[in-house]
Amino acid sequence: MTKALSAAAQSTRWPRLGLQPFVLLAMIGITLGIFLLSLSLGSVSIPLEQVLRILFYQEAERRSWITIIYDFRLPKALTAALAGAALGVSGLQMQTLFRNPLADPFVLGISSGASLGVAIVVLSVGAANTALLAVAGLPGNVSLVVAASLGAGIVMMIILTLAQRVRSSITLLILGLMIGYVTSAVVSLLLYFSIAERIQAYIAWSFGNFGGVTWSQLRVLAPTIGMGLLLALCLTKALNALLLGEAYARSMGVDIQLARSGIVLSSSVLAGTVTAFCGPIAFLGIAIPHLCRALFRTADHSILIPACVWVGATTALLGDLIAQVPGHSIVLPLNAITALFGAPIVIWVVLQRYRGAFGL
């Protein structure tokens, strides 16, 4: 009788996730609710009823609300969801590859490469950059996206070349960190010798922002992130095998060099694309995987990857909503908000990991 009840209870759960259907529906409802709130709240508050009418192509009380939603808030919300999903999955892959709970998507220097590309365009002086600077004036402009993409792409190619040649993942991690330090040092030198106006433009970009992405840029951002996520799903078996170390993965028939290159490529594309279009978004990549492991109580990547997509998108939307300070015209730095989310989670991970060693 007990076994029959247990089997019946399992049959009412969502397959593989171990979730009751109403729990899954509640999770989806939370995400949709935050998404709608991000369209409704801001410096100008729009009633939720009017938001729904506008989304379903019906007349609104004010035509300005249609412009606000379609031209500004909707692309920003979609960008936040995509960026959060990308950073969450990228961080999960990095933590698994390096078997380090504190690894994040930017541990290989991809973010630093993107920052260097933007710094060269914004901070460099001389006649060669005058035309570029005239176009690049504002963060989120096409020139900044191109510069960040080139910087991240160059570093990614270097890391992929090293991943083919280096046998140890730890060695690859150290090399990635060193590349990050070198690019950060060059950015620091450019900041030191630059003028105040250009420093201010670069700092504004480094705060991170989901609102600078236009519909035309979103048509590039979304497919690129989609390809990175699809590649991550294809690497599920290799990621699960790597949980027990490279020796075990090799015994399971996993091509370590190929798997490592695929993981680095997927993570670099996801993190580099987000950095290029939105600036360096901190803490989401390191915090989201731990949140998913705690929520779903599993290490299976066939569950964790979709979970990171959902939790990452929801958390990014919530962080962006808070940064907008609904009802006020000010916008807080996005990285400050994500740090308030992420830092306590990282502290919790460290305390849990070393609780026995410190007698906590």
Side-chain angles (χ1 to χ4, degrees), residues 112-127:
S112 299
S115 299
L116 178 60
V118 172
I120 290 174
V121 170
V122 176
L123 301 176
S124 296
V125 295

Side-chain angles (χ1 to χ4, degrees), residues 148-234:
S149 300
L150 288 174
I154 291 171
V155 174
M156 183 181 70
M157 295 304 298
I158 295 173
I159 295 297
L160 283 173
T161 302
L162 292 174
Q164 291 289 338
R165 297 175 179 272
V166 173
R167 292 183 176 273
S168 171
S169 294
I170 300 301
T171 304
L172 182 63
L173 173 62
I174 295 172
L175 291 173
L177 288 172
M178 293 305 104
I179 292 173
Y181 282 129
V182 169
T183 54
S184 296
V186 176
V187 171
S188 297
L189 289 173
L190 290 172
L191 284 169
Y192 183 81
F193 289 105
S194 187
I195 60 177
E197 291 79 3
R198 293 173 182 171
I199 293 175
Q200 185 176 5
Y202 176 80
I203 291 176
W205 176 84
S206 68
F207 283 157
N209 180 25
F210 295 135
V213 178
T214 63
W215 282 111
S216 60
Q217 293 173 347
L218 198 57
R219 293 188 185 96
V220 177
L221 174 69
T224 306
I225 289 178
M227 288 187 291
L229 294 176
L230 181 61
L231 179 57
L233 285 172
C234 294

Side-chain angles (χ1 to χ4, degrees), residues 206-332:
S206 68
F207 283 157
N209 180 25
F210 295 135
V213 178
T214 63
W215 282 111
S216 60
Q217 293 173 347
L218 198 57
R219 293 188 185 96
V220 177
L221 174 69
T224 306
I225 289 178
M227 288 187 291
L229 294 176
L230 181 61
L231 179 57
L233 285 172
C234 294
L235 294 166
T236 297
K237 179 182 176 181
L239 288 166
N240 283 336
L242 286 170
L243 287 172
L244 297 178
E246 292 186 359
Y248 173 80
R250 193 175 286 108
S251 70
M252 294 293 293
V254 176
D255 187 332
I256 297 299
Q257 293 294 98
L258 182 61
R260 185 191 298 150
S261 298
I263 293 169
V264 170
L265 176 61
S266 173
S267 183
S268 299
V269 167
L270 292 172
T273 302
V274 172
T275 304
F277 284 88
C278 308
I281 309 297
F283 279 105
L284 288 182
I286 190 173
I288 296 303
H290 293 297
L291 273 175
C292 293
R293 293 187 188 99
L295 286 172
F296 293 88
R297 299 185 180 277
T298 183
D300 185 358
H301 285 77
S302 64
I303 295 175
L304 286 178
I305 290 176
C308 284
V309 170
W310 169 67
V311 176
T314 305
T315 306
L317 283 167
L318 182 59
D320 182 64
L321 179 62
I322 296 172
Q324 297 305 310
V325 193
H328 297 80
S329 59
I330 63 172
V331 178
L332 298 176

Side-chain angles (χ1 to χ4, degrees), residues 8-251:
Q10 288 293 329
S11 66
T12 61
R13 293 178 182 272
W14 190 263
R16 304 201 62 182
L17 295 182
L19 295 175
Q20 298 287 351
F22 73 89
V23 175
L24 185 68
L25 291 175
M27 291 162 49
I28 296 173
I30 290 171
T31 304
L32 289 176
I34 296 175
F35 185 86
L36 289 175
L37 284 176
S38 68
L39 300 181
S40 173
L41 301 178
S43 58
V44 176
S45 295
I46 303 175
L48 280 175
E49 178 192 355
Q50 294 297 313
V51 171
L52 292 173
R53 290 181 63 86
I54 292 170
L55 291 178
F56 286 101
Y57 300 102
Q58 297 180 12
E59 288 295 326
E61 290 182 6
R62 302 179 185 176
R63 292 198 58 83
S64 60
W65 289 350
I66 300 176
T67 302
I68 290 172
I69 288 180
Y70 278 115
D71 291 351
F72 300 101
R73 293 187 183 177
L74 186 56
K76 183 185 67 172
L78 292 173
T79 300
L82 288 168
L87 293 176
V89 173
S90 181
L92 175 67
Q93 292 182 98
M94 289 294 96
Q95 291 174 10
T96 301
L97 176 63
F98 297 119
R99 302 182 68 189
N100 186 336
L102 300 180
D104 67 3
F106 305 128
V107 73
L108 295 178
I110 304 299
S111 175
S112 299
S115 299
L116 178 60
V118 172
I120 290 174
V121 170
V122 176
L123 301 176
S124 296
V125 295
N129 282 321
T130 302
L132 286 174
L133 288 171
V135 177
L138 296 174
N141 193 275
V142 175
S143 296
L144 297 187
V145 172
V146 172
S149 300
L150 288 174
I154 291 171
V155 174
M156 183 181 70
M157 295 304 298
I158 295 173
I159 295 297
L160 283 173
T161 302
L162 292 174
Q164 291 289 338
R165 297 175 179 272
V166 173
R167 292 183 176 273
S168 171
S169 294
I170 300 301
T171 304
L172 182 63
L173 173 62
I174 295 172
L175 291 173
L177 288 172
M178 293 305 104
I179 292 173
Y181 282 129
V182 169
T183 54
S184 296
V186 176
V187 171
S188 297
L189 289 173
L190 290 172
L191 284 169
Y192 183 81
F193 289 105
S194 187
I195 60 177
E197 291 79 3
R198 293 173 182 171
I199 293 175
Q200 185 176 5
Y202 176 80
I203 291 176
W205 176 84
S206 68
F207 283 157
N209 180 25
F210 295 135
V213 178
T214 63
W215 282 111
S216 60
Q217 293 173 347
L218 198 57
R219 293 188 185 96
V220 177
L221 174 69
T224 306
I225 289 178
M227 288 187 291
L229 294 176
L230 181 61
L231 179 57
L233 285 172
C234 294
L235 294 166
T236 297
K237 179 182 176 181
L239 288 166
N240 283 336
L242 286 170
L243 287 172
L244 297 178
E246 292 186 359
Y248 173 80
R250 193 175 286 108
S251 70

